[in-house]
Amino acid sequence: MLRGIDVSAYQSSTFDTDGLSFVFIKATEGRSYVNPKLAAQTQRARDAGCVVGFYHFLWPGNLTAQAEYFLGNASARDSADILAVDWETTGDGTRAPSAEKDAFIRKLKELRPDIRVVLYCNRSYWLNVDTTSYAGDGLWIADYVTAGEPRIEATWRFHQYTDDPVDTNVGDFATKKALQEWAAFN
């Protein structure tokens, strides 16, 4: 398994990259928020040779506008990058239903067919909220248990297993080269 982290504006732009193969960076939320540290965090991950993923915190409604906003602000530059949809409860207690989550993933894949799109959600969402089990090109599951052993039966690509001291993940790839080839559709 490969090691990785995910960061947002809450983390430093000089996060430790030692031993990391990938970094997911929050890019946008809804249609009005851009991570102010996005460029610096992206540069940090790229300078360390990490596979870079960008995620969008999905709000209900306006899916095409959200997808365009995300793609217009994320620094995804080529097929070696990954896009992720962060599907959870919003700050005002709402959530996009499964059908909107699916439509958003499909819209990203339509607009950027050269880039992998994955779904990020926690175990409870996957088991109790999701009605379609559609995760685009792969599932990134949050379940705070032993790394690489999320309590789901679905196939997953990434597992967020702790948030201490930072959101820490493993990728289900034998080597960094395997992750790079998957990300690039090789």
Side-chain angles (χ1 to χ4, degrees):
M1 302 246 171
L2 302 180
R3 291 184 53 232
I5 61 172
D6 57 280
V7 297
S8 68
Y10 293 108
Q11 285 77 42
S12 167
S13 297
T14 58
F15 51 85
D16 183 12
T17 58
D18 187 42
L20 299 182
S21 296
F22 62 92
V23 177
F24 281 98
I25 303 161
K26 181 174 186 175
T28 54
E29 182 171 332
R31 294 178 296 137
S32 61
Y33 174 82
V34 176
N35 173 359
K37 297 179 181 176
L38 177 61
Q41 289 174 332
T42 300
Q43 191 62 51
R44 176 80 173 166
R46 291 201 195 286
D47 287 349
C50 294
V51 172
V52 178
F54 300 95
Y55 70 91
H56 173 81
F57 190 102
L58 185 64
W59 280 69
N62 302 303
L63 303 178
T64 297
Q66 284 189 71
E68 291 170 348
Y69 186 74
F70 177 36
L71 295 175
N73 287 288
S75 301
R77 62 182 185 196
D78 58 39
S79 64
D81 293 332
I82 302 168
L83 300 174
V85 179
D86 181 352
W87 185 44
E88 53 189 297
T89 303
T90 66
D92 68 0
T94 62
R95 71 170 179 252
S98 287
E100 287 189 357
K101 174 262 299 177
D102 294 354
F104 186 78
I105 293 170
R106 287 187 174 94
K107 178 53 78 173
L108 290 178
K109 291 180 69 55
E110 173 191 321
L111 295 172
R112 288 301 305 267
D114 59 326
I115 295 183
R116 295 273 187 187
V117 179
V118 300
L119 170 67
Y120 168 89
C121 67
N122 65 40
R123 178 178 181 264
S124 177
Y125 259 61
W126 185 252
L127 297 177
N128 303 311
V129 177
D130 190 85
T131 59
T132 65
S133 300
Y134 180 63
D137 295 312
L139 177 62
W140 173 17
I141 191 76
D143 188 22
Y144 292 3
V145 294
T146 302
E149 298 180 15
R151 297 167 295 164
I152 60 171
E153 294 186 21
T155 301
W156 55 272
R157 286 290 181 175
F158 303 95
H159 173 210
Q160 181 185 88
Y161 63 91
T162 186
D163 61 0
D164 184 23
V166 65
D167 289 346
T168 307
N169 305 267
V170 291
D172 191 19
F173 299 90
T175 64
K176 186 173 172 183
K177 184 175 185 338
L179 170 58
Q180 291 166 327
E181 289 175 352
W182 175 82
F185 289 95
N186 290 337

